[in-house]
Amino acid sequence: MGIKQLYQVISEAAPDAIKNGEIKNHFGRKVAIDASMSIYSFLIAVRSEGQVLTSETGETTSHLMGMFYRTLRMVDNGIKPLYVFDGKPPTLKSGELAKRTARKFEAQEAHEEAKEVGTAEEIEKFSRRTVRATREHNEECKRLLKLMGIPYLDAPCEAEAQCAILAKSGKVYAAASEDMDTLCFETPILLRHLTFSEQRKQPIQEIHLDRVMAGLDMTREQFIDLCILLGCDYCDTIPKVGPTTALKLIRQYKSIEGVIENLDKDKYKVPDYFPYQDARELLMNPEVVPADECDFKWDAPDTEGLVDFLVGGKGFNEDRVRSGAARLSKNQTTAQQSRLEGFFKVIPKTEEELANLKRKNEEKVAEKKKRAKLDAKAKKDSKKAPRGAN
Amino acid sequence: MLGVLLEARLEQAQILKKVVEAIKDLVQDCNFDCNDAGIQLQAMDNSHVALVSMKLGSEGFSPYRCDRNIALGINLNSLMKVLRAAANEDLLTLKAEDQPDSLNLLFESSSQDRLSEYDIKLMDIDQEHLGIPDTEYAATITLPSAEFQRICRDLSALSESVSIEANKDGVKFACSGDIGNGSVTLRPHTNVEDEDKSTKIELTEPVNLTFSLKYLVNFCKASSLSATVRLCLSNEVPLLVEYQMGAGYLRFYLAPKIGDEE
C-alpha cells in the first residue's frame, strides 16, 4: 500500500513539511477523502472483541458504523468531507493486486485452521487479514452518504489520484488518505489520520508538498522516481535498495535510467520485469476526471431515511442515529465560521527567509543524525562493557 | 554588555504585561519582530480565525535602539511568568545580543532600590505572515472599552455568536440561543465631560455581520490597555477591534461567520 518508507524519508529530509494538529484546526475546510481506503480501515478497526460488527441477520455493519460516526466527527469539527471511491484498478496494479489476493487466500486458510486449533488471538489476527471491502460495502456506504447529505464521487481509476487533482485545483483544501502516494499525484496538502477514531487520540497529520520538495530538493520527476525505487503499487523494487540508498542514488543520478546505468551490477540486481516507465507514467498522469467537471455539494440529511436504513435495516440505536442526523442538519444550517486565509493572503517568504529555513532544517537533520550516531555508539559501548562490571 | 543589538526601555512595565496578558490565550508562541521603528508582532490563533497585530513604536521607549532587524521567538506563557515578577510601575528594559539565544529583561522599581533581572530562552518559530490589505471600512464605531467588554460578556451567556448590525441610528449587538435571545443597542452620543465615554459611529453604508463571541470575549481582555475601543466593519470582511496604546496599538482581526455559500 502506498510508497514504502516515504514517510520516514520525508520526516528525515524535510521535517518542516509535516505538521501535527488537532482536528478542529481544519474546520471550515473541504477535504476529499479516499473512501475505499477508509472503508477498508473501518472493516479492520471498527470491531468489538475482535469480531466485525453485524446486524441481527449477520450482515457486516462495521463499515457503516465507521462511515457514520467518523464522518460525524469531521462534520462536528466543521470539516466538509467529500468521499471519492476507487474506479477500476490500473492494469499495472494487477501484479500487486494478485499478490494481495494470494495473501488474502493464505490468510483465509490460516484463519480456518486457527479456528480449528488456534488461540483466540490467532483467530483474530487472521480474521483481520481476510478483510476485503466488497462492492456491497461500497454501495451501502454510498447509500449512507447520500442519506447523510455528504457528497461522493466515483473516480475513473485510483481514488487518491482524484482526491489529489481536486486539492490541486483548489476545489478542496486537501486530500485525505493514509496512502503516501497521494503526494505523487501532486496534492498540495495531504491529511492523514483524519478518519481515525476520536479515542485513538491521533493528531491529524498535515504534509505539505512544496516543503517536501524543497526539503528533498527535487523536481517532481525525481520525486516520482524516488517513490518507484522506494516501492509503489505498480512495480517491484530493486532488491537491497532501501530508503537511504534510493535517496542517495536519485540525488546522484537524477533518474531511474541514470541509476540503472550506474548501478553496481554485482551488488544490486535489477528485476527482469521492471516496468518503471509505465509506473512513472501512471504516477505522473493518472486517469482522473478534470476537477472543473466534478460537481458536489453538501445537503441536509434525510433523517427518516437514515433511521429506516440504519435502525430498521442494520440494527443501529435509534436515538444515536437521530442525534447524529440532528448534528448534521445543525451544521448544515448554522452560519459557518470562516477562516482568515480566505481574506488575508499569506505573504510569501523572502529568499533570505527561505535560505534561513533551509539552513535550519539542515542543521536539525545533521543534529538528529549526530544524536543517532552517538546513541548507537553508546549502545555499542554498553554492550561491550561486560555485564555487572562496575 | 558587548554586542548589544536591541535595547528598549519602557517607562511602565504594565504596558507589556497587559499586552501579553491579553493575547496569551489566543497565541502560544510568536515572534516579536524588532527593527528601528519599534517592536511588532503578528500572529494567528491555532484555528486561523483570529489574528493579533501589535505595534509598540520606538517613540514609546526611552531609550530605544535596534541595530538590525531581528525576530525574537518567545513562548508567551513563559514571558508572562517572568512579567508577573514586575510591578506595574517598574521600568522595564528589554535587551538582546547579536544572534541571541535569550532575551534579557530588567525590572527597576521606580524608587531605584530594587533591580530584578531575568533571561528568557528564545525559540525558533517558523511563522506565516499575512498581508493585511488597507481597507476602507463601511462602519467605524468607537465606544468605551468597558462597555464593549460588558456587551460581549453578557451576550456570551446566551449564545456562541453575535450579530453586529450598524446603521445610521445606532449599532445593535444581537444574539439568540437555546434559552432565548437578547440584544444591546447603542446610539451615538457625546459625553461632554469625558470624551472617552462617548459612542461615535461613522458610517458609509449599513453593515450586518456575525461573529463568534468566544473570540470577542477573549479580545476584551485588552480593555485595560485603553479607555476606548474601535470596531471597524465592512460586510463580508474580518472585523477589526483596535485598542490604542501611547505609541502603538493592539489590533485583533476576526473572520466572520458566513451562511453556507453553496
Side-chain angles (χ1 to χ4, degrees):
Chain A
M1 245 340 108
I3 310 289
K4 291 189 194 87
Q5 313 267 22
L6 179 58
Y7 179 72
Q8 188 200 331
V9 171
I10 291 176
S11 66
E12 274 168 18
D16 68 322
I18 303 169
K19 280 187 218 163
N20 285 309
E22 290 176 64
I23 188 166
K24 67 172 198 290
N25 295 354
H26 295 286
F27 76 86
R29 286 174 169 161
K30 297 171 189 167
V31 176
I33 301 168
D34 178 350
S36 305
M37 145 109 7
S38 310
I39 293 172
Y40 179 75
S41 72
F42 296 151
L43 286 170
I44 291 192
V46 183
R47 285 174 176 236
S48 151
E49 291 168 6
Q51 296 296 312
V52 284
L53 307 175
T54 55
S55 65
E56 279 168 6
T57 51
E59 288 168 89
T60 306
T61 54
S62 283
H63 56 301
L64 296 173
M65 202 67 155
M67 199 61 147
F68 188 62
Y69 288 109
R70 309 256 170 110
T71 304
L72 266 180
R73 177 182 179 221
M74 282 181 246
V75 172
D76 282 341
N77 282 288
I79 295 173
K80 298 189 147 198
L82 159 72
Y83 283 92
V84 181
F85 286 83
D86 268 335
K88 61 172 194 336
T91 35
L92 258 197
K93 213 172 171 176
S94 57
E96 167 72 18
L97 290 176
K99 268 193 227 161
R100 283 188 206 166
T101 317
R103 276 205 299 269
K104 295 278 172 210
F105 189 70
E106 268 171 42
Q108 189 86 41
E109 288 197 328
H111 182 49
E112 292 302 324
E113 198 185 313
K115 269 202 228 164
E116 302 257 326
V117 295
T119 60
E121 247 170 70
E122 273 175 354
I123 297 178
E124 191 184 327
K125 190 169 92 189
F126 289 115
S127 122
R128 271 175 218 256
R129 287 202 198 152
T130 60
V131 165
R132 297 191 75 161
T134 62
R135 182 185 297 272
E136 288 74 51
H137 291 144
N138 280 340
E139 291 308 319
E140 284 185 332
C141 284
K142 284 181 189 171
R143 181 164 164 213
L144 173 64
L145 289 172
K146 206 171 190 83
L147 291 170
M148 290 174 80
I150 306 287
Y152 65 84
L153 295 174
D154 287 305
C157 198
E158 300 262 41
E160 61 264 34
Q162 189 68 47
C163 291
I165 203 84
L166 289 168
K168 194 182 161 196
S169 73
K171 278 219 159 187
V172 297
Y173 168 76
S177 173
E178 303 310 306
D179 238 347
M180 291 295 283
D181 58 5
T182 319
L183 286 173
C184 298
F185 299 126
E186 283 195 296
T187 181
I189 296 165
L190 171 64
L191 295 182
R192 300 178 84 203
H193 312 337
L194 191 65
T195 54
F196 282 17
S197 98
E198 185 89 59
Q199 280 95 16
R200 281 178 72 175
K201 303 244 183 306
Q202 279 274 6
I204 309 295
Q205 202 171 64
E206 203 176 332
I207 305 179
H208 290 255
L209 185 65
D210 54 341
R211 299 204 172 181
V212 171
M213 293 309 206
L216 290 169
D217 198 12
M218 281 186 182
T219 62
R220 185 176 175 220
E221 285 78 8
Q222 291 165 6
F223 178 67
I224 285 179
D225 278 8
L226 170 70
C227 290
I228 295 175
L229 281 189
L230 289 171
C232 64
D233 290 347
Y234 307 131
C235 164
D236 283 334
T237 53
I238 304 175
K240 291 188 192 160
V241 174
T244 322
T245 320
L247 188 59
K248 202 176 82 195
L249 288 173
I250 292 288
R251 282 205 164 135
Q252 196 169 352
Y253 304 116
K254 307 294 178 207
S255 71
I256 294 188
E257 282 85 353
V259 171
I260 293 179
E261 210 167 284
N262 293 287
L263 204 59
D264 179 351
K265 296 282 188 303
D266 298 326
K267 202 171 165 198
Y268 304 106
K269 198 169 169 300
V270 181
D272 297 335
Y273 179 61
F274 190 49
Y276 65 89
Q277 279 146 330
D278 298 325
R280 185 190 288 158
E281 176 61 24
L282 274 177
L283 290 170
M284 283 295 274
N285 302 308
E287 191 185 342
V288 288
V289 179
D292 48 12
E293 287 171 26
C294 297
D295 239 355
F296 47 88
K297 71 192 240 294
W298 287 263
D299 274 324
D302 173 356
T303 309
E304 292 314 315
L306 278 172
V307 171
D308 259 7
F309 179 45
L310 292 178
V311 181
K314 304 288 173 190
F316 278 49
N317 177 311
E318 178 164 355
D319 290 345
R320 293 178 74 178
V321 171
R322 282 195 187 274
S323 95
R327 269 144 72 197
L328 283 170
S329 58
K330 180 173 173 245
N331 275 303
Q332 169 74 20
T333 49
T334 50
Q336 282 275 337
Q337 174 68 56
S338 57
R339 306 178 69 96
L340 278 173
E341 290 102 328
F343 305 98
F344 302 153
K345 291 284 162 272
V346 174
I347 302 172
K349 289 197 161 48
T350 59
E351 293 284 325
E352 188 192 351
E353 281 171 324
L354 279 177
N356 244 331
L357 198 68
K358 203 169 163 201
R359 184 178 47 79
K360 276 178 192 158
N361 268 335
E362 276 158 12
E363 274 171 22
K364 265 187 225 159
V365 172
E367 173 85 356
K368 220 171 154 186
K369 274 194 186 145
K370 209 167 121 194
R371 222 178 309 137
K373 230 181 203 169
L374 280 176
D375 282 355
K377 197 164 170 256
K379 225 177 177 178
K380 221 169 148 190
D381 286 350
S382 71
K383 261 192 194 156
K384 252 192 240 160
R387 249 168 234 222
N390 49 337
Chain B
M1 205 195 276
L2 271 174
V4 172
L5 183 74
L6 169 80
E7 184 167 359
R9 191 163 81 162
L10 267 178
E11 290 290 331
Q12 288 191 316
Q14 60 172 325
I15 296 177
L16 192 60
K17 269 177 97 162
K18 284 176 179 169
V19 168
V20 177
E21 187 71 59
I23 65 176
K24 74 172 177 23
D25 291 331
L26 218 53
V27 180
Q28 282 76 46
D29 304 321
C30 73
N31 282 326
F32 285 75
D33 297 311
C34 310
N35 56 35
D36 54 7
I39 299 177
Q40 276 177 296
L41 168 163
Q42 192 209 70
M44 268 188 286
D45 80 308
N46 266 338
S47 43
H48 294 196
V49 171
L51 179 131
V52 182
S53 166
M54 186 233 32
K55 183 180 175 188
L56 280 170
S58 57
E59 64 277 18
F61 299 90
S62 67
Y64 182 89
R65 96 168 230 240
C66 180
D67 302 340
R68 194 166 54 79
N69 293 4
I70 185 168
L72 304 170
I74 295 178
N75 174 286
L76 292 181
N77 263 317
S78 314
L79 180 60
M80 199 60 227
K81 281 181 191 158
V82 170
L83 287 174
R84 285 213 180 94
N88 284 347
E89 310 299 323
D90 280 1
L91 285 170
L92 179 153
T93 311
L94 302 170
K95 262 189 221 170
E97 293 167 49
D98 208 354
Q99 305 279 350
D101 50 18
S102 66
L103 170 71
N104 177 271
L105 295 105
L106 187 71
F107 310 140
E108 298 165 68
S109 77
S110 26
S111 53
Q112 299 287 324
D113 51 9
R114 176 172 43 77
L115 257 180
S116 325
E117 197 175 349
Y118 292 86
D119 285 305
I120 181 165
K121 282 185 198 151
L122 297 178
M123 52 201 291
D124 228 355
I125 302 170
D126 173 22
Q127 221 175 7
E128 282 175 337
H129 268 266
L130 292 186
I132 299 167
D134 282 325
T135 311
E136 291 283 332
Y137 286 96
T140 303
I141 303 148
T142 312
L143 71 160
S145 52
E147 184 80 60
F148 182 55
Q149 181 168 32
R150 197 191 142 144
I151 293 170
C152 292
R153 207 175 42 212
D154 290 350
L155 295 183
S156 71
L158 263 77
S159 172
E160 284 174 7
S161 35
V162 58
S163 73
I164 305 180
E165 189 182 351
N167 55 39
K168 60 182 187 335
D169 301 324
V171 53
K172 181 176 174 186
F173 301 83
C175 74
S176 81
D178 292 340
I179 59 163
N181 57 59
S183 73
V184 179
T185 308
L186 298 178
R187 282 185 235 291
H189 78 273
T190 312
N191 187 319
V192 277
E193 280 163 31
D194 189 349
E195 175 71 14
D196 286 345
K197 292 209 170 108
S198 307
T199 299
K200 276 181 284 188
I201 300 177
E202 293 158 49
L203 193 88
T204 54
E205 66 174 314
V207 294
N208 189 357
L209 289 114
T210 305
F211 299 99
S212 156
L213 274 165
K214 186 184 81 187
Y215 282 94
L216 292 178
V217 168
N218 215 326
F219 297 168
C220 286
K221 287 189 192 145
S223 295
S224 57
L225 274 172
S226 165
T228 63
V229 58
R230 205 155 65 104
L231 312 178
C232 303
L233 302 109
S234 279
N235 284 323
E236 282 163 27
V237 304
L239 159 78
L240 164 60
V241 178
E242 182 180 71
Y243 295 89
Q244 285 288 341
M245 305 184 281
Y249 54 76
L250 181 59
R251 289 177 183 160
F252 298 96
Y253 293 87
L254 179 61
K257 289 194 170 189
I258 296 178
D260 215 353
E261 73 268 44
E262 269 104 359

